[in-house]
Amino acid sequence: MNKELTREERTDALGGMGCKRKRVEDARFTQGKGNYVDDIKLPGMLQGDFVRSPYAHARIKSIDSSAAMALDGVIAVLTAEDLAPLGLHWMPTLAGDKQMVLADGKVLFQGQEVAFVVAKDRYIAADAVELVEVDYEELPVLTDPFAAMESDVVLREDLLGEGGSLPDGAHGPRKHPNHIFTWEVGEKDATEQVLDEADVVAEETVYYHRTHPCPLETCGCVASMDKVNGKLTLHGTFQAPHAIRTVVSLISGIEEHNIRVISPDIGGGFGNKVGAYPGYVCSVVASIVTGVPVKWVEDRMENLMTTAFARDYHMTGKISATKEGKITGLHCHVTADHGGFDACADPTKFPAGFMNICTGSYDIPTAYLAVDGVYTNKAPGGVSYRCSFRVTEAAYFIERMVEVLAIELNMDAAELRRINFIKKEQFPYQSALGWEYDSGDYHTAWDKALKAVDYDGLRAEQAQRVEDFKAGKTRKLMGVGLTHFTEIVGAGPVKNCDILGLGMFDSCEIRIHPTGSAIARLGTISQGQGHATTFAQILATEIGLPADSITIEEGDTDTAPYGLGTYGSRSTPVAGAATAMAGRKIRAKAQMIAAYLLEVHDDDVEFDVDRFVVKGAPEKFKTMKEIAFAAYNQAIPGIEPGLEAVSYYDPPNMTYPFGAYVCVMDIDVDTGVTDIRRFYALDDCGTRINPMIIEGQVHGGLTEALAVALGQEIAYDDMGNVKTGTLMDFFLPTAWEVPNYETDHTVTPSPHHPIGAKGVGESPHVGGVPCFSNAVNDAFRAFGLRHTNMPHDHWRIWKTANDLGLHG
Amino acid sequence: MSNKKHFKLTVNGEEQEFLAEPRELLIHTLRERLRQTGPHIGCETSHCGACTVTMNGKSVKACTVFVAQADGADITTIEGLGNPDSLHVLQEAFKEHHGLQCGFCTPGMITRASKLLEENPTPTEEEVRFGMAGNICRCTGYQNIVKSILAAASEMNAAKEAAE
Ligand code: FES
Ligand code: FES
């Protein structure tokens, strides 16, 4: 029957790349049959819970757990003293620092883990937590990184050398006991010279506030030590299960083959679930000690207060240009607040991540970036919240600086961007700060975006609005937010990207079954991105079997090939490439089998959608299904039976997705309330695997961007108390606050990626944050505002209007 | 601290009797005692809606209801809305319109939406957005959730008309 189908019909039947395939994950999720970590219930399982510090900086004088231990159902109360003999009271961080698992003599941030209670159920554990008495002696609190760099209060005595000396940290010399590192990229002297000699220089201080990824599911795990077989199974919310296995092995001494890490369904990650947290270590220890499974799942307050904040970058910029607006130089200094421990999740050689993508989409000949990391009495983290490492910070910085420069030059911000974009023919483009941008066509994207929104019409309307406002006819201003961002994702080439020495390649292993269906396993793990759907589409196109006949499996270190997991939009660029490459290995063997079956030379057959055909005689063919069967039932001279392949893909370069966004916003000057009238997002993520999923990622990323730009914040008071530790104060937008988005695209494939895909999950967040913020700032441009910091909540906007004298 | 009391609930049509502390939260009763793990825990402070179930005909957030308050109640969770052989229209619509990503909010969303459509079978987009504002999703940006619910509403109405 197959013979009668046209080539197009055969292609459609595969459900391969480019089609809007419905998600295979959805059946279980819509029926409440997902399997998330807190759904796991093992026989005899105990529950762990933390005693946490109410103070941001304090010495611990004593811990008395006798009352807690006396409670019926309490099995153990672990403190640093119990972990010390095992060497587990501290653990290494992903950033080359170390972090206390349980408070070792002092605490450095509010909510820090002090003791771990293990009890028969969560209620008893919670009661016991209340009964543990900790005697604290308060110490002076440092919540401001600038003050920390001046203070003689030492936060990390453990890092002092003999006689109070200051040994180098993981990233070189330290200037002060509360200083972590200085990281410099680019040419300092040359940049300063360019700035000195420039026609125009715009300067601004831009603070990217502290926030949190806050996935709907918090972090947690179930550790289960099988003492009979010496095997540890660790289920948990891990964005990088293999890396977690290696880390657990390194710190526990259990051999890696005796550890099985499983990431079940994950309820969103956004960077929150990359790191290793004290809860994991304590659960493992507790299970080893008790011999039964131990579950630990943090609650929302614990999540917001302790696991993985994002950003907290104080950025000072100078950008220079000619009178005509050609940018000549960029200077950026960052004071990065890392909290009490340096637990940033960045590739080892990049202590400030890829902040050096801060030249953005522009051809800036000379640039310099310096980042100083600083300890304060805040929670550790510094993860990439829905972005590749520090890329939102970089995009926000440059997109604000360009707007400020436009004000300085008295130019239209869209035009200023246009004359400075890297031109299509300049790719691959070497940036002043060391990256090789793979491909782009920024002018085309920009023009398409401006046309779609009728940019000139918007500006005319805005000018009229300003007139009306001045004439007292309206109290609403209008902002037009622009952004053209360039991301850097798909970390990354092993030559410069590793985490704790583990190269950031990724992997795929495929087994074709005799009847022509398949299973593929990957080193990544989906947290909502729909990998089971999209990776099957890549394979369907590569190997000519229907996507519906291909199972994708991830997240079990006993079965999946080694990979560094899912974050930083690396799944498609790295594991997606591995998938395509493994598929091509399958195809290469299939070609030999087909040639044998068709009795022609290998070179005389060619792949055609779902089959190999004899060149010039398309009526002679063998389908992939037939070939798969032959692989298992025919003795073919010179060819091993079976049809399997594995690929470990070390990407030659990062990928550089980009996009052009426009936000139109009305702002009520008297209430500070914002109304997003329109949001247009054009994304170029190279080859598009599943347009439906891409669009969903864009909607979600933009909404997280809206949250961050317009209100979401982890705020501290001077005592180091977290002021936004519940969903009452930590802004997560609901359906009511979120607009409908218009999505659009151009396609500029990555030249070095096997299928040309670049990754998209984080673009809308990276581009969305500056776009919303630019809209707010732009609304007040006519009244003399240059820059105001996020988050632009109603109160801050009202304050901006008030400071500008707009309340009469 | 054991002061267990006897409770009776009807969950997804089945009667359940058990001993529990009155302070036990309904969400834990459902998830841990009765193994209905569809409703999830996202905050335990009534903000996120991941734990939404229908109790005595009303949408409630099971994380802030004591089992003692639910004694005798009739409760429907996502598990009771449809089954693999006959999905609820909303379950189909969420699949069809990409109304979910990680799936963690989905059981609460669909359970809430089913109630919303009972309360208002022909909602406008605005009414859907308002009626769903107690349920947070971190992944989808809501656009496709709203689309799914509106699509389900039209389908249910069309089916109703056809039946009449
Ligand atoms: S868990 Fe009940 S509302 Fe969030
Ligand atoms: S789909 Fe992930 S929270 Fe809604």
Side-chain angles (χ1 to χ4, degrees), chain A residues 39 47 131-132 203 214 326 463 665 698 723 761:
Chain A
D39 299 340
Q47 186 86 26
L131 294 173
V132 175
E203 278 190 60
C214 194
K326 187 79 193 76
M665 191 186 272
V698 173
K723 296 197 290 181

Side-chain angles (χ1 to χ4, degrees), chain A residues 412-658:
Chain A
D412 175 75
E415 185 55 22
L416 176 60
R417 284 182 173 84
R418 188 200 312 273
I419 62 176
N420 284 290
F421 283 143
I422 300 163
K423 294 189 194 68
K424 190 178 171 190
E425 55 276 13
Q426 285 176 280
F427 293 93
Y429 171 82
Q430 297 291 336
S431 81
L433 295 178
W435 297 114
E436 184 185 299
Y437 292 31
D438 59 350
S439 63
D441 183 353
Y442 301 166
H443 288 93
T444 300
W446 196 237
D447 291 343
K448 191 173 180 188
L450 297 188
K451 186 153 174 259
V453 298
D454 180 19
Y455 180 69
D456 294 337
L458 287 174
R459 287 296 182 201
E461 185 191 348
Q462 184 185 36
Q464 183 60 46
R465 187 75 73 84
V466 170
E467 290 310 309
D468 290 350
F469 182 86
K470 286 180 176 162
K473 289 193 216 157
T474 179
R475 296 298 292 162
K476 285 193 179 162
L477 293 176
M478 175 180 159
V480 180
L482 301 175
T483 284
H484 190 288
F485 65 91
T486 297
E487 266 206 287
I488 171 169
V489 306
V494 173
K495 62 176 187 283
N496 60 4
C497 287
D498 69 275
I499 289 186
L500 295 178
L502 303 168
M504 295 180 76
F505 57 83
D506 226 289
S507 57
C508 174
E509 182 191 285
I510 307 171
R511 288 185 193 174
I512 311 289
H513 306 313
T515 51
S517 64
I519 182 164
R521 298 189 167 100
L522 291 93
T524 43
I525 175 74
S526 191
Q527 308 127 38
Q529 296 91 336
H531 289 176
T533 307
T534 51
F535 286 132
Q537 288 180 261
I538 296 177
L539 270 183
T541 298
E542 291 291 341
I543 64 177
L545 292 173
D548 287 344
S549 301
I550 302 169
T551 296
I552 300 290
E553 205 182 86
E554 302 175 300
D556 182 342
T557 58
D558 263 10
T559 55
Y562 205 98
L564 268 259
T566 295
Y567 45 85
S569 279
R570 63 187 300 283
S571 296
T572 298
V574 192
T579 304
M581 297 311 269
R584 287 173 197 181
K585 288 185 187 175
I586 296 277
R587 217 162 75 188
K589 184 167 178 183
Q591 179 166 4
M592 294 193 280
I593 297 171
Y596 171 82
L597 297 173
L598 292 162
E599 299 179 10
V600 293
H601 190 269
D602 289 358
D603 294 340
D604 293 335
V605 293
E606 62 188 357
F607 187 67
D608 178 39
V609 184
D610 57 353
R611 63 190 59 181
F612 275 94
V613 299
V614 175
K615 284 183 188 166
E619 70 286 356
K620 289 195 193 145
F621 64 85
K622 287 288 167 192
T623 64
M624 283 301 291
K625 234 178 133 106
E626 293 170 314
I627 294 167
F629 197 63
Y632 289 91
N633 82 341
Q634 297 235 3
I636 303 175
I639 300 180
E640 281 179 14
L643 195 50
E644 297 189 5
V646 55
S647 170
Y648 280 77
Y649 187 78
D650 178 9
N653 190 3
M654 312 281 185
T655 59
Y656 298 76
F658 61 92

Side-chain angles (χ1 to χ4, degrees), chain A residues 739-756:
Chain A
N740 281 311
Y741 305 103
E742 295 162 56
T743 54
D744 204 346
H745 64 275
T746 54
V747 177
T748 313
S750 169
H752 62 77
H753 187 280
I755 58 170

Side-chain angles (χ1 to χ4, degrees), chain B residues 40-51 61-64:
Chain B
H40 296 138
I41 301 172
C43 68
E44 294 176 298
T45 52
S46 283
H47 290 99
C48 77
C51 62
K61 292 176 172 175
C63 70
T64 24

